[in-house]
Amino acid sequence: MSRFSVVLTLIASFCFANAIWAQASAEPPFDSLVWQDEFNGDLLDYSKWEIEVNAFGGGNHELQIYTDRSKNVRVENGSLILEAHRDHAGVSGTEREYSSGRVRTKRRGDWKYGRVEVRAKLPRGAGIWPAIWMLPTEETYGGWAASGEIDIMEMRGQQPETVLGTLHYGPAWPNNVHTGDSYTLPQGSFADDYHTFAVDWSKGKIEWRVDGHLYQTQTKWNSSAAGFPAPFDQSFHLLLNLAVGGGFVGPVNQETKFPQQMLVDYVRVYQ
């Protein structure tokens, strides 16, 4: 082999090695389990979760009140149960037609990059809105949605065979924007059995999976306060909730029966 050929071979090997290293750096394998809750036992682990109490729902013209009653939030038979009722519950002098549950890991589980994986069985019915999502622990780039929001899974109860994955970003509301896609089961609905919902979140790239099936990749977003990959370059925490009504799903109708349950088998975070 000539000296020139040797040089070309070395250059090609160097470039290939750098390409592999760059790919590995940008897309970690996320094979180290750093946080989990299998919901064993009969009590919620308050070192990992906070139950949110909110007399005015979660915004978006939702109809429920969020309480910390075991009727709405509990651990039972190996699952976290978020349960919605039509019971005219009251908190701090405010009564609403529906009650439900919402939990979060804020300052108990906060991560920058990794795989967040949740196995859950979802409810169904017009006006029912289960969600698995993430918010920034610190609003580094400003109020919602300037600091970002990662929706791992949302579902309209009247379309129980389809889930959505969405990013919210850009300027603060009402000038924010969102981008996303949906996944439809080939047969059956998400109310029939448990399914696994996950995002793989690395620098400049977020992938969505259902039962291991990759259905969406986003690599383009923006921030009004900083350059790419802001705002998705900060620590986020996880939220699980079951909402009733609101602009995303529309009204409840007479065919929607209560109580409604969102069952969560486990939450696992890998980095």
Side-chain angles (χ1 to χ4, degrees):
M1 183 181 291
S2 69
R3 181 178 298 176
F4 181 70
S5 297
V6 170
V7 171
L8 285 179
T9 300
L10 289 173
I11 291 174
S13 299
F14 177 79
C15 291
F16 178 75
N18 271 300
I20 294 298
W21 178 86
Q23 182 177 7
S25 299
E27 301 180 31
F30 301 142
D31 56 5
S32 178
L33 183 63
V34 299
W35 194 98
Q36 69 183 121
D37 198 336
E38 306 293 325
F39 301 111
N40 296 321
D42 55 6
L43 294 174
L44 186 68
D45 186 345
Y46 288 99
S47 72
K48 296 179 177 179
W49 301 98
E50 174 191 7
I51 300 177
E52 294 193 59
V53 177
N54 188 331
F56 302 100
N60 305 298
H61 306 292
E62 296 163 32
L63 304 176
Q64 80 287 333
I65 194 169
Y66 284 126
T67 85
D68 59 359
R69 303 176 304 169
S70 60
K71 182 177 182 178
N72 298 118
V73 182
R74 64 185 181 275
V75 174
E76 192 174 90
N77 298 323
S79 290
L80 168 67
I81 300 176
L82 303 179
E83 189 167 292
H85 289 262
R86 188 174 188 176
D87 58 355
H88 297 274
V91 171
S92 302
T94 298
E95 180 182 297
R96 296 174 74 84
E97 184 174 3
Y98 302 95
S99 66
S100 193
R102 171 165 155 165
V103 297
R104 66 180 181 179
T105 66
K106 188 174 184 180
R107 306 195 192 287
R108 295 163 170 84
D110 310 270
W111 311 279
K112 176 182 174 182
Y113 306 141
R115 167 176 286 189
V116 181
E117 182 178 287
V118 180
R119 185 172 186 262
K121 182 179 180 182
L122 307 180
R124 66 188 304 164
I128 301 301
W129 179 6
I132 302 168
W133 52 304
M134 302 182 76
L135 284 176
T137 300
E138 304 292 343
E139 292 189 327
T140 302
Y141 301 118
W144 191 87
S147 291
E149 175 182 320
I150 303 170
D151 296 333
I152 300 173
M153 184 286 304
E154 293 181 287
M155 191 191 81
R156 294 181 174 94
Q158 59 267 43
Q159 297 174 305
E161 71 286 345
T162 300
V163 294
L164 299 94
T166 309
L167 294 182
H168 298 263
Y169 53 88
W173 184 88
N175 299 313
N176 56 290
V177 296
H178 65 272
T179 50
D181 205 347
S182 64
Y183 174 80
T184 299
L185 283 172
Q187 60 182 12
S189 82
F190 288 101
D192 296 334
D193 203 351
Y194 285 87
H195 292 270
T196 303
F197 309 95
V199 291
D200 283 356
W201 168 31
S202 54
K203 185 177 181 180
K205 181 179 181 179
I206 303 177
E207 299 177 331
W208 283 255
R209 288 179 167 82
V210 174
D211 297 329
H213 174 76
L214 174 64
Y215 76 92
Q216 177 185 192
T217 300
Q218 291 202 46
T219 58
K220 295 181 180 180
W221 54 77
N222 60 74
S223 166
S224 59
F228 185 84
F232 302 110
D233 60 351
Q234 303 293 315
S235 292
F236 279 61
H237 61 274
L238 182 67
L239 301 96
L240 309 172
N241 69 274
L242 177 56
V244 180
F248 179 74
V249 290
V252 177
N253 66 29
Q254 60 184 5
E255 296 179 1
T256 301
K257 307 301 181 184
F258 288 87
Q260 291 277 344
Q261 289 186 344
M262 175 178 174
L263 306 177
V264 182
D265 180 36
Y266 65 72
V267 177
R268 297 172 185 168
V269 180
Y270 301 84
Q271 288 185 326

